Amino acid sequence: MNIVTAFTEKGVNLAVKIAGFIDAEVFAPERFSRYNVKIIDAPLTEWTGKIFREAKIIVFVGACGIAIRSIAPHVKSKMSDPAVIVVDELGRFVVPVLSGHVGGANEAARKIAGFLHAVPVITTASDVNNLTAVDEWSVKNDCVIENPSAVKHVSSRLLDGEAVGVAVTCENIGTPFPVTLFLRPKVLVLGAGCNSKTDPDEFERSAVDFLNGAGVSVLSLKALATIDIKKNEEAMKIFADTHNIPLVTFSADELQSVKGTFNASEIVKKFTGTDNVCERACVLCAGEGAVLMRSKTVYNGITFALSRVNPSVNIPLP
C-alpha cells in the first residue's frame, strides 16, 4: 500500500498527480473531500501511526518538518520502516527522509522526481559518494540481511576506502572475515506435507531442523510449497507468514505430472491423489530444470524436501 497526503489546495492537486504515478491512495483534511480523497480522521501524528506499519511508501506533500514530526514517534528500524518521502507543494524537490535504502525511498524519490521534472535531494553518504549501498543492493537482488548490525560497519569502511567482508550465500558457513555481513539470497523452495491440525510450533521446529540438516539458512526460503488440500493448514500458513514467504499450492494432478524420480508412497496417493507431496511440490514450484537439494525427510507426521529456484521462475511473493 502506497499513500500520499497533503494539507493545502496546491498540495492536494499535486498529491493526486503523484498518486496516479505510484498507484497510491490520497489522504487529506476533510475540507478537501471534493477531490474524492480519503479523509485524515485523527490528529496527524496519530493518523500516521495507523498507516505506518501497513504502508510501503508514504509521501508527504508539504514541509519536511510536518513529515518528521508526524513519523518521529513511530520510527523503529531501517529494516522495517516504510519509505517516507517529502515533496514540496510546487513539486520542485523530492526528498527521501526515511528508509532510503532498505525501504526504497531513494529509488522511489528518483522516479517521482523524474515524473515531476523535479530535483531528487539524496543525502545518504554512499549515494553522494557514488558507492554501492549494501543494504540497497540486498533489496534489489532479493536478499535478506541476516545481521543488520554489520551494515553500519561495512558502510563506514566502504566510505573510508577500506576492504569489507560480505558473504552472499544460502549456505550456513563459518564467518570468513573479522566482521562479515551475511546476505541471504531467496533461492530455496521448501516442499512440505503434514497431518491435519499439525501443531504450528512443531512444524516450525521440524522445518528449522530440516534446513539446518541441509546446511542452509531459513532466510533463503522463497516459498513454501504443498498440495492444494493443505492451503488452509494452520501450521503451514503460520510458518509462511512468520518467514514472509508465500504458501504455494498445486493440485494432485499437477504434482503427479512432475517428471523425475521421487520417493513414492501408495498410502499418500490414496489420501491425496499423488504419490509424493513434498518432493514434487518443491520441484514444481522451483521451476523447470530444478532438482532436489535434499530429498524427503520424515518427522512426526510432517515431511519436507528442498529445491533451489530456477532463476527464470517468477514465484508470487506476499
Side-chain angles (χ1 to χ4, degrees), residues 134-155:
V134 290
D135 42 2
E136 186 173 38
W137 186 94
S138 176
V139 173
K140 288 183 177 180
N141 289 277
D142 199 19
C143 294
V144 177
I145 299 173
E146 181 174 274
N147 51 335
S149 60
V151 172
K152 184 177 180 179
H153 172 90
V154 169
S155 298

Side-chain angles (χ1 to χ4, degrees), residues 23 160 194 253:
D23 188 22
D160 291 339
C194 69
D253 288 342

Side-chain angles (χ1 to χ4, degrees), residues 226-233 249-251 271-273 277:
T226 190
I227 192 168
D228 57 7
I229 60 175
K230 291 295 180 182
K231 64 182 179 182
N232 293 317
E233 189 67 45
T249 63
F250 303 98
S251 69
F271 286 99
T272 68
V277 171

Side-chain angles (χ1 to χ4, degrees), residues 1-5 14-27 38 54-59 85 108 111-112 115-116:
M1 175 175 66
N2 299 328
I3 290 175
V4 184
T5 185
L14 182 58
V16 171
K17 184 178 179 181
I18 294 171
F21 176 66
I22 66 171
D23 188 22
E25 296 181 344
V26 179
F27 284 80
K38 294 191 174 183
E54 288 75 27
K56 182 179 180 181
I57 299 174
I58 304 173
V59 179
I85 298 167
K111 290 180 179 178
I112 293 172
F115 171 68
L116 297 176

Side-chain angles (χ1 to χ4, degrees), residues 80-92:
S80 60
D81 292 335
V84 178
I85 298 167
V86 177
V87 181
D88 70 280
E89 67 172 32
L90 294 182
R92 295 178 300 180

Side-chain angles (χ1 to χ4, degrees), residues 7-314:
F7 316 99
T8 66
E9 192 85 26
K10 289 180 180 178
V12 172
N13 277 292
L14 182 58
V16 171
K17 184 178 179 181
I18 294 171
F21 176 66
I22 66 171
D23 188 22
E25 296 181 344
V26 179
F27 284 80
E30 188 174 7
R31 66 182 183 276
F32 298 111
S33 58
R34 66 185 182 280
Y35 286 94
N36 194 30
V37 299
K38 294 191 174 183
I39 304 303
I40 297 175
D41 58 359
L44 189 56
T45 300
E46 180 182 336
W47 172 81
T48 303
K50 292 180 181 179
I51 55 93
F52 199 74
R53 294 303 161 206
E54 288 75 27
K56 182 179 180 181
I57 299 174
I58 304 173
V59 179
F60 286 85
V61 179
C64 281
I66 294 175
I68 291 170
R69 283 192 294 271
S70 300
I71 67 174
H74 315 295
V75 174
K76 299 296 182 184
S77 167
K78 67 186 297 181
M79 304 308 298
S80 60
D81 292 335
V84 178
I85 298 167
V86 177
V87 181
D88 70 280
E89 67 172 32
L90 294 182
R92 295 178 300 180
F93 303 100
V94 183
V95 188
V97 296
L98 188 69
S99 290
H101 291 150
V102 176
N106 285 2
E107 183 176 5
R110 292 188 185 98
K111 290 180 179 178
I112 293 172
F115 171 68
L116 297 176
H117 303 291
V119 177
V121 183
I122 311 298
T123 59
T124 42
S126 55
D127 293 86
V128 299
N129 285 281
N130 293 316
L131 294 173
T132 298
V134 290
D135 42 2
E136 186 173 38
W137 186 94
S138 176
V139 173
K140 288 183 177 180
N141 289 277
D142 199 19
C143 294
V144 177
I145 299 173
E146 181 174 274
N147 51 335
S149 60
V151 172
K152 184 177 180 179
H153 172 90
V154 169
S155 298
S156 63
R157 295 301 185 277
L158 281 173
L159 290 169
D160 291 339
E162 299 179 11
V164 297
V166 180
V168 184
T169 178
C170 65
E171 298 180 5
N172 291 326
I173 61 175
T175 304
F177 311 106
V179 177
T180 304
L181 174 64
F182 278 96
L183 305 182
R184 299 300 189 180
K186 296 175 75 67
V187 294
L188 305 177
V189 174
L190 180 65
C194 69
N195 293 335
S196 296
K197 298 182 179 179
T198 293
D199 178 66
D201 290 337
E202 183 171 3
F203 188 94
E204 171 77 25
R205 288 192 299 270
S206 299
V208 171
D209 182 78
F210 171 80
L211 294 169
N212 285 339
V216 298
S217 170
V218 67
L219 295 177
S220 283
L221 289 183
K222 192 174 182 71
L224 174 65
T226 190
I227 192 168
D228 57 7
I229 60 175
K230 291 295 180 182
K231 64 182 179 182
N232 293 317
E233 189 67 45
E234 183 181 20
M236 292 193 181
K237 290 171 65 177
I238 289 176
F239 181 87
D241 289 344
T242 298
H243 297 284
N244 194 33
I245 57 175
L247 175 59
V248 182
T249 63
F250 303 98
S251 69
D253 288 342
E254 288 176 313
L255 294 177
Q256 195 60 34
S257 69
V258 179
K259 297 179 180 180
T261 301
F262 303 101
N263 290 289
S265 168
E266 288 303 316
I267 295 178
V268 171
K269 189 172 184 178
K270 177 181 177 181
F271 286 99
T272 68
T274 181
D275 60 13
N276 181 291
V277 171
C278 62
E279 291 180 343
R280 290 181 178 275
C282 70
V283 169
L284 180 56
C285 185
E288 184 177 356
V291 295
L292 289 171
M293 292 181 64
R294 190 179 184 190
S295 59
K296 179 179 177 181
T297 302
V298 182
Y299 289 80
N300 182 23
I302 309 170
T303 59
F304 293 111
L306 186 69
S307 60
R308 190 181 182 97
V309 173
N310 183 325
S312 64
V313 172
N314 181 25

